Amino acid sequence: MLTVKDILNIKAIEGIKLVAGAAGLDNQISIVNIIENPDVFDWLTSNELLLSTGYIFKDSEELQNKIIQELVENNCAGLCIKIKRYFDKVPRNMIDLADKHGLPILELPFEYTLSRVIAIINEKTNADYDAMNRRSLDLHNALFKIALEGGGIEQISAELADTIHNPVLILDRDWNLLGYTDHKDNEAPLRQMLPLVRNRPVFPAEFTEAIPKYISEIKKSIKRTYRYRDQAFKCRIMPVAVSNHVYGYIVVFQTIRILGEFDYMALEHVSTILALDRIKAKEIEAVKLKIKQDFFDDLLSGNFTSVETLHSLSDLHGLKVKYVYYCMVVHIEADKLEDYTDIVYRKYELEHIAKKCVGLIYGQSHKANGELTCYYRNQQIIILIGRNEEKPPIAVSETKTFAQELLELLSMEMREVRFMMGIGSQYKTLPSLHRSFFEAQEAMRLMQRFNDNRTISHFEDYSVYHFLDSNIKPVEMEAFFHKVLGVVHNHDQTANTRFISTLEYYFMYNQNITEAAKAMFIHRNTFIYRIDKIKELLGTDLKNADELFQIQLALNLYRLMVKG
């Protein structure tokens, strides 16, 4: 393989000279790159020779020293600086630091362009890639064989750890653990410094949040440092991505040795194989979900005509025939999805959000006071909660408390997503469960219609409005309202009073004048005055039970008319 010493003897770039780091003249060069941006530190690889005009570090001694340290830490071959552009000569602090670490620094005469130098060196190194390519092909074949034979993530991670001689973690796109392989020579076992639990986060949020969002577009590993107690561990993080869709990450702890060129090639091979594995797993999961969705769609639509078929399929999907169930529906609104012009990618992201919600909900199933079954369908999460028919019914307040806990958890974990929840009543038989699902949907519809500030509602909260809205035509609603309260409404319109609102608060607080006045932020005497005027307009003392019922009914119809 080409070395730094060989560079000095290439006649096509005569005049290049060594100014520091003579101890590293035998450093091997696998690739040549240009460094004109500090962000490149994330992407440095072993045996890389960096070329620069010096522009990015010309005014900062701190950055000059950092560049030397970063190249040393990443086992780079050396640094070549074009002089007479921003430097007449290489700064003394860089020379001293490079000599200390044995990192070669070369001065490139002004007349050579960086691109020309790269072309010349690459021409000399091409012959060295044949042997590397043969090793790369052998590794690719071995990995592909594992994938074809269904070896899965554990075997793939074991093969990679053995190849690169370092411990390996394989994580999903949310940084949850899918698999890992430690190495026998690792003196800092992964289990001692990481919580290695399947399908649970491995790293703290501050570590993963610092990873660039565009990592999938780079398609190269980046360098990071993981700190545990008083120790710092160098890591390499490789995205598992296809068409900028991230399926997961490979994390390599460089606790045994620094990665070399072939190791980076191995990472790229494994990333590709894992992407195929994740896509296959996603397809299998999609088929299973489709079967489950079809069953629940029929169940919640009331389409089952055969009780025997319903019972046999219920057992298959985890429902108990002798349980009583109620339904909760969670609606998802994610504004960020509107930013995606690619419909397929938008669907993929929505499924990811929904799947994550299902996982969070199952994590709270022990609080449900019953057995919880959950699945997602488009922008909705459907939750069924059942308990033995011999147990007492679940109170509405209890279902709301559990719903509130779920909502708080979902909102905390997914801050960019808005949620709304509807709850149906409890039903004694599975064939009747579709009514609870309808009620949950109806509770959300009416909650939206009335534009209430709440995000959770039970069907009972709006059962009266549902009955009226479903059974009385709009024309009949308006006629009844004007017959009972038309004179009061007309007075509000002409005299700019608030008598209709006063009546609503009057009944809302069970005709308690003090509490109703307090809720309206008016004086008690003002409230009494309004009620007296209403009595005068209606010609009633508001004591007759039939009249009171008609007034309350008219007020409910008024709400429907206004919000319609």
Side-chain angles (χ1 to χ4, degrees):
M1 185 178 285
L2 197 71
T3 66
V4 175
K5 185 188 297 183
D6 296 328
I7 297 292
L8 298 174
N9 297 319
I10 298 176
K11 291 185 179 181
I13 44 176
E14 201 169 17
I16 191 169
K17 67 178 182 178
L18 180 75
V19 295
L25 276 174
D26 291 327
N27 288 354
Q28 295 180 328
I29 300 171
S30 63
I31 191 171
V32 187
N33 223 326
I34 294 174
I35 175 172
E36 296 293 14
N37 188 325
D39 289 343
V40 79
F41 294 155
D42 278 340
W43 321 109
L44 295 175
T45 58
S46 179
N47 302 120
E48 192 170 9
L49 177 66
L50 280 302
L51 309 183
S52 177
T53 62
Y55 173 75
I56 62 168
F57 52 82
K58 63 183 177 67
D59 299 320
S60 172
E61 183 175 327
E62 180 184 356
L63 186 54
Q64 292 166 8
N65 294 336
K66 182 180 179 183
I67 284 174
I68 301 298
Q69 291 166 347
E70 289 285 346
L71 297 187
V72 171
E73 285 182 10
N74 285 280
N75 202 27
C76 291
L79 175 63
C80 183
I81 300 175
K82 181 176 179 177
I83 57 171
K84 305 300 182 183
R85 184 75 173 88
Y86 298 104
F87 290 101
D88 288 332
K89 59 182 179 179
V90 177
R92 171 50 56 184
N93 57 292
M94 296 184 74
I95 291 175
D96 292 341
L97 195 57
D99 280 334
K100 177 182 177 181
H101 293 289
L103 178 78
I105 295 183
L106 308 176
E107 281 187 350
L108 179 69
F110 180 75
E111 60 265 25
Y112 294 107
T113 63
L114 299 186
S115 59
R116 175 62 180 155
V117 174
I118 290 176
I120 292 170
I121 297 176
N122 283 341
E123 183 180 345
K124 294 291 184 181
T125 58
N126 279 342
D128 296 323
Y129 278 102
D130 290 342
M132 184 90 63
N133 286 337
R134 284 194 295 271
R135 287 184 65 197
S136 174
L137 182 60
D138 289 342
L139 175 62
H140 176 78
N141 290 338
L143 291 168
F144 202 67
K145 184 179 179 182
I146 290 173
L148 287 176
E149 294 177 353
I153 287 174
E154 292 295 344
Q155 273 190 257
I156 294 172
S157 68
E159 182 75 20
L160 179 60
D162 185 59
T163 300
I164 66 177
H165 206 68
N166 273 306
V168 171
L169 295 162
I170 297 177
L171 314 173
D172 69 12
R173 61 172 289 180
D174 292 315
W175 302 92
N176 299 315
L177 182 66
L178 294 175
Y180 75 98
T181 300
D182 212 329
H183 198 283
K184 58 183 178 60
D185 297 330
N186 182 21
E187 295 180 358
L190 296 180
R191 280 202 168 277
Q192 291 185 5
M193 55 182 176
L194 295 169
L196 299 177
V197 181
R198 293 286 190 279
N199 300 315
R200 291 290 183 271
V202 174
F203 296 103
E206 57 267 22
F207 180 84
T208 56
E209 287 172 358
I211 305 300
K213 301 300 182 186
Y214 53 85
I215 186 172
S216 63
E217 301 173 17
I218 304 298
K219 295 182 172 51
K220 286 182 65 178
S221 64
I222 66 169
K223 177 178 67 69
R224 281 295 183 269
T225 300
Y226 176 72
R227 301 189 182 278
Y228 176 69
R229 294 180 179 172
D230 296 328
Q231 292 181 284
F233 299 92
K234 299 297 180 184
C235 301
R236 276 283 167 179
I237 301 174
M238 181 76 183
V240 178
V242 176
S243 300
N244 296 337
H245 292 187
V246 176
Y247 290 94
Y249 302 92
I250 305 167
V251 181
V252 178
F253 273 76
Q254 299 179 103
T255 54
I256 302 174
R257 68 177 180 86
I258 299 296
L259 299 185
E261 182 183 7
F262 180 73
D263 300 320
Y264 291 110
M265 294 175 68
L267 270 178
E268 292 177 7
H269 283 312
V270 171
S271 174
T272 301
I273 295 297
L274 281 175
L276 294 174
D277 180 84
R278 292 290 82 204
I279 291 171
K280 181 180 74 173
K282 184 175 174 60
E283 290 302 316
I284 293 172
E285 182 185 352
V287 172
K288 291 180 179 178
L289 179 64
K290 181 66 167 60
I291 294 171
K292 187 175 186 177
Q293 286 178 339
D294 287 346
F295 163 73
F296 281 106
D297 285 352
D298 286 338
L299 174 66
L300 299 179
S301 300
N303 290 338
F304 279 105
T305 56
S306 169
V307 176
E308 291 182 1
T309 302
L310 173 58
H311 287 181
S312 62
L313 289 175
S314 296
D315 290 337
L316 183 65
H317 292 284
L319 298 183
K320 303 290 175 51
V321 174
K322 293 188 176 181
Y323 274 27
V324 293
Y325 284 90
Y326 72 92
C327 182
M328 301 171 64
V329 177
V330 183
H331 184 74
I332 300 169
E333 284 290 345
D335 291 338
K336 68 175 185 177
L337 295 179
E338 300 302 320
D339 297 334
Y340 300 128
T341 55
D342 187 334
I343 297 176
V344 175
Y345 188 63
R346 188 187 308 166
K347 183 176 183 293
Y348 172 73
E349 287 298 313
L350 177 60
E351 286 180 355
H352 176 69
I353 292 171
K355 184 179 177 182
K356 188 173 181 180
C357 289
V358 169
L360 291 169
I361 291 168
Y362 269 120
Q364 298 295 303
S365 59
H366 61 285
K367 298 181 179 181
N369 285 330
E371 292 189 17
L372 183 148
T373 301
C374 183
Y375 77 103
Y376 64 87
R377 163 67 84 180
N378 298 325
Q379 288 184 253
Q380 291 189 336
I381 312 295
I382 293 95
I383 307 167
L384 306 178
I385 299 175
R387 62 196 298 180
N388 195 295
E389 61 184 356
E390 296 177 358
K391 291 186 177 182
I394 302 174
V396 170
S397 59
E398 190 175 348
T399 65
K400 285 185 175 181
T401 299
F402 178 58
Q404 186 63 45
E405 291 177 355
L406 288 183
L407 184 69
E408 290 174 358
L409 174 66
L410 294 175
S411 300
M412 181 178 66
E413 293 291 331
M414 310 183 76
R415 299 184 184 277
E416 295 182 354
V417 182
R418 298 191 308 277
F419 300 96
M420 181 170 59
M421 304 175 71
I423 310 169
S425 305
Q426 194 173 33
Y427 283 88
K428 293 184 178 181
T429 63
L430 282 178
S432 302
L433 188 55
H434 67 278
R435 298 178 186 172
S436 185
F437 175 69
F438 168 78
E439 291 175 355
Q441 298 274 26
E442 184 69 357
M444 286 196 296
R445 183 185 73 83
L446 290 169
M447 183 164 56
Q448 285 181 305
R449 179 170 177 177
F450 287 113
N451 199 25
D452 289 343
N453 292 327
R454 68 178 85 180
T455 52
I456 296 171
S457 64
H458 194 285
F459 179 70
E460 288 193 6
D461 298 336
Y462 296 101
S463 58
V464 172
Y465 296 107
H466 166 72
F467 175 79
L468 297 175
D469 196 32
S470 302
N471 292 280
I472 303 178
K473 297 176 182 178
V475 175
E476 295 172 344
M477 286 187 193
E478 188 172 355
F480 183 86
F481 170 75
H482 282 290
K483 177 183 176 183
V484 177
L485 291 177
V487 63
V488 178
H489 182 260
N490 290 338
H491 190 278
D492 279 351
Q493 298 297 308
T494 56
N496 198 27
T497 53
R498 295 188 59 198
F499 289 171
I500 291 291
S501 296
T502 303
L503 272 177
E504 287 182 315
Y505 278 93
Y506 182 66
F507 288 110
M508 190 184 305
Y509 287 89
N510 298 317
Q511 302 175 56
N512 185 317
I513 290 176
T514 301
E515 293 299 319
K518 189 185 299 182
M520 289 192 75
F521 300 102
I522 61 176
H523 194 276
R524 185 175 185 275
N525 290 340
T526 302
F527 195 92
I528 292 174
Y529 169 78
R530 291 184 182 180
I531 291 295
D532 287 340
K533 291 296 293 182
I534 291 169
K535 289 178 181 178
E536 182 181 324
L537 287 170
L538 294 176
T540 178
D541 58 5
L542 295 182
K543 291 182 179 179
N544 182 279
D546 288 336
E547 289 181 346
L548 290 176
F549 174 74
Q550 289 189 40
I551 292 171
Q552 287 182 284
L553 181 57
L555 288 172
N556 287 332
L557 292 173
Y558 176 72
R559 286 200 74 193
L560 285 172
M561 289 160 52
V562 170
K563 299 298 181 181

